[in-house]
Amino acid sequence: LQSRKMAEDGDDGYEQKVKFCSKIASPLAGKKSTKKVYKLVKKATQAKSVRRGVKEVVKAVRKGEKGFLVIAGDISPVDVVTHLPIMCEDRNMPYYYVPSKHDLGAAACTKRPTSCILVNPDGLGSDEKELYSKIVAESKEGNRFL
């Protein structure tokens, strides 16, 4: 009922979703950055240049695939995704946490919640590459390890 009321008010409930994020979800994308990330994921999914799910993402990162990693901050148990930021930092790969696994799954055009998505810039068009570079710059600015 409360979520329906928020939807009627035009608020997407970003602050509510942040409350359910893990303590390790850093750097967490801001409200505007989250919308940009979801937009990029949606465009990249349509261009078929994404890897989704922990198993597929880890395999791609180990093989040396480049890209931008988006991790859901509300994964439970958090141990499922704790190794991903470390892998990214070792390979100098940018990453961002977003507040909701359900919204991340919806942005990836699936009905299932998604814990992480790797966006590969090679298959993107020029407009998407511009958005990709903006998000990568923001994430590197917010991440003290990269």
Side-chain angles (χ1 to χ4, degrees):
L1 183 68
Q2 188 178 12
S3 63
R4 191 178 303 153
K5 184 169 174 54
M6 281 192 288
E8 289 170 4
D9 294 339
D11 181 27
D12 64 350
Y14 177 81
E15 287 79 20
Q16 284 294 112
K17 292 172 185 170
V18 169
K19 289 179 185 176
F20 295 105
C21 284
S22 164
K23 300 283 185 212
I24 68 156
S26 174
L28 183 65
K31 192 172 185 175
K32 286 184 179 179
S33 297
T34 300
K35 286 184 180 181
K36 287 181 192 173
V37 168
Y38 291 151
K39 185 177 178 181
L40 175 69
V41 168
K42 188 168 192 144
K43 300 259 184 186
T45 302
Q46 291 168 350
K48 302 213 183 313
S49 62
V50 295
R51 302 270 185 233
R52 80 176 53 111
V54 176
K55 191 175 178 182
E56 202 173 326
V57 166
V58 167
K59 187 174 167 184
V61 171
R62 281 200 181 133
K63 285 187 174 182
E65 195 171 305
K66 296 292 178 194
F68 175 73
L69 184 62
V70 183
I71 308 168
D74 63 344
I75 297 298
S76 177
V78 74
D79 298 344
V80 173
V81 294
T82 51
H83 62 288
L84 291 174
I86 297 164
M87 288 178 71
C88 289
E89 289 162 11
D90 288 346
R91 290 162 179 81
N92 234 6
M93 182 184 289
Y95 65 94
Y96 238 162
Y97 280 92
V98 291
S100 173
K101 61 186 174 187
H102 295 283
D103 292 344
L104 186 58
C109 303
T110 62
K111 293 177 183 176
R112 304 265 314 147
T114 305
S115 55
C116 59
I117 289 183
L118 179 67
V119 178
N120 189 340
D122 294 338
L124 300 176
S126 60
D127 292 342
E128 291 87 16
K129 281 191 179 182
E130 190 176 311
L131 180 62
Y132 175 87
S133 59
K134 281 182 187 176
I135 293 171
V136 166
E138 282 179 26
S139 70
K140 284 188 176 184
E141 188 177 296
N143 192 346
R144 61 189 180 277
F145 298 110
L146 296 176

